[in-house]
């Protein structure tokens, strides 16, 4: 399936082509220095993975290889541009499923080399992190809640490439909590959108579930206890009760995840204010696939209002993985005059703040 989120068409200097291939979407965009998405095309292999209950890395890599050339061509066509109009090529170089990352990286390097333009090796997490600068033009610094299928982190974004991680997950990511909850109920993959749809007919709080780490005095997350409690409760029901109460389970799981995110974010807001007292316009950005969830957005809007933070939520189409966010990070590095060497090696693990200590109970640092 190919989708397009074209907003404007504009030719001119400083156009960056961005390539995203770190998971199951082959997504390409052209973004101008003036924050315009000139063209944006995505081919997704999600439907193929759905039959396997999750993304199969080998299949994803092969699909990227199969689709990427066509998606790049379609993106250029959408913008009515040719390769000679491109001023730089950016691609996700990690973290992510390494087969797909290699496909995108090698293509970007080959294009940059053939066109004699700079190459930008982009951290996928920085793509999510800076999306609000593309969509809303917000200034540094800001507090970021990054919630995706692989990551759940709270970070202070101080500037381009300059991050302080306040917290991360001790086990599962928030997206995994949605995906695993959906799997327990046989809703298929990805679980987040399915849970959200089902939750609309359910009553939140109808099923009593634990809000993880609700009174912790730090910014770290944990979702494995919630996942286990949810699975035990649901699996203990009769088949008839499962049918009757599925929507209540979806709404209650969604509610517990949103509440857990809001409580840790509140703590991070206090840390942000203590660390940066001189910042008068305090901003909270939410990014990543789970930021597409309406209940999460609503709960964080409520929190932001009570804490006098401005909440910035990118449009839902740019919360999940996309080429525009990668092109935009390339654009920011392009404007800073920092490019990447052509021998930059793809990285399956690539933390935004590699000096951050691990969360309690975890010996190894996460990407
Ligand atoms: O950022 P993303 O597209 O890919 C990663 O980098 O991981 O995030 C994918 C995750 C999946 O776990 C998916 O279930 C979740 O985001 N997700 C949602 C929604 N849309 C996507 N979770 C809750 N509600 C949604 N509407
Ligand atoms: Zn992502």
């Amino acid at each position: 399936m190919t989708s397009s989120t074209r907003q404007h068409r504009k030719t001119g200097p400083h156009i960056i082509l961005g390539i995203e291939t770190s998971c199951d979407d082959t997504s390409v965009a052209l973004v101008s220095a003036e924050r315009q998405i000139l063209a944006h095309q995505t081919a997704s292999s999600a439907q193929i993975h759905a039959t396997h209950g999750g993304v199969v890395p080998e299949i994803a890599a092969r699909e990227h290889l199969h689709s990427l050339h066509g998606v790049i061509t379609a993106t250029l066509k959408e913008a009515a541009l040719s390769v000679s109009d491109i001023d730089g090529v950016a691609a996700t170089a990690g973290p992510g499923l390494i087969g797909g990352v290699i496909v995108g990286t090698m293509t970007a390097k080959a294009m940059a080399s053939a066109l004699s333009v700079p190459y930008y090796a982009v951290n996928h997490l920085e793509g999510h992190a800076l999306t609000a600068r593309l969509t809303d033009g917000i200034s540094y610094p800001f507090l970021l809640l990054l919630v995706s299928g692989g990551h759940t982190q709270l970070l202070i974004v101080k500037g381009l490439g300059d991050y302080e991680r306040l917290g991360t997950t001790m086990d599962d990511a928030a997206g995994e909590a949605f995906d695993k909850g959906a799997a327990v109920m046989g809703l298929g993959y990805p679980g987040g959108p399915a849970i959200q749809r089902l939750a609309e007919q359910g009553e939140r709080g109808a099923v009593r579930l634990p809000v993880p780490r609700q009174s912790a005095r730090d910014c770290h997350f944990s979702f494995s206890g919630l996942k286990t409690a949810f699975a035990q409760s649901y699996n203990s029901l009769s088949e008839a009760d499962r049918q009757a109460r599925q929507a209540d389970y979806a709404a209650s799981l969604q509610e517990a995840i949103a509440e857990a995110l809001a409580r840790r974010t509140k703590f991070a807001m206090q840390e942000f204010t203590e660390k940066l007292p001189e910042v008068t316009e305090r901003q909270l950005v939410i990014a990543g696939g789970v930021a597409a969830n309406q209940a999460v957005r609503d709960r964080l809007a409520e929190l932001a209002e009570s804490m006098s933070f401005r909440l910035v939520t990118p449009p839902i189409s740019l919360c999940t993985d996309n080429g525009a966010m990668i092109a935009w990070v390339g654009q920011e590095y392009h404007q800073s005059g920092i490019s990447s060497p052509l021998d930059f090696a793809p990285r399956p693990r690539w933390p935004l703040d590699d000096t951050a200590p691990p969360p309690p109970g975890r010996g190894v640092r996460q990407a």
Side-chain angles (χ1 to χ4, degrees), residues 105-106 108-114 117-120 339-345:
T105 294
M106 296 311 292
K109 287 179 178 180
M111 284 184 78
S113 168
V117 296
Y119 156 68
Y120 301 98
S339 62
S340 308
L342 284 175
D343 62 357
F344 188 101

Side-chain angles (χ1 to χ4, degrees), residues 87-109:
D87 297 286
V89 184
T92 297
L97 301 175
I98 198 66
V101 170
I102 290 172
V103 171
T105 294
M106 296 311 292
T107 305
K109 287 179 178 180

Side-chain angles (χ1 to χ4, degrees), residues 3 14 16 26 29 32 54 76 100 110 118 121 123 134 136-137 151 189 210 239 260 302 306 320 323 328 366:
S3 66
H14 304 296
I16 303 294
T26 311
S32 78
L76 286 164
N123 184 320
L134 165 65
D136 294 76
H151 302 274
Y189 178 88
E239 193 53 50
E302 199 182 295
S306 73
T320 47
W328 175 251
Q366 278 193 304

Side-chain angles (χ1 to χ4, degrees), residues 20 22 124 128 148-149 288-289 319-321 325:
E20 159 57 31
S22 70
H124 177 84
H128 284 302
S148 69
C319 282
T320 47
D321 292 348
M325 69 183 191

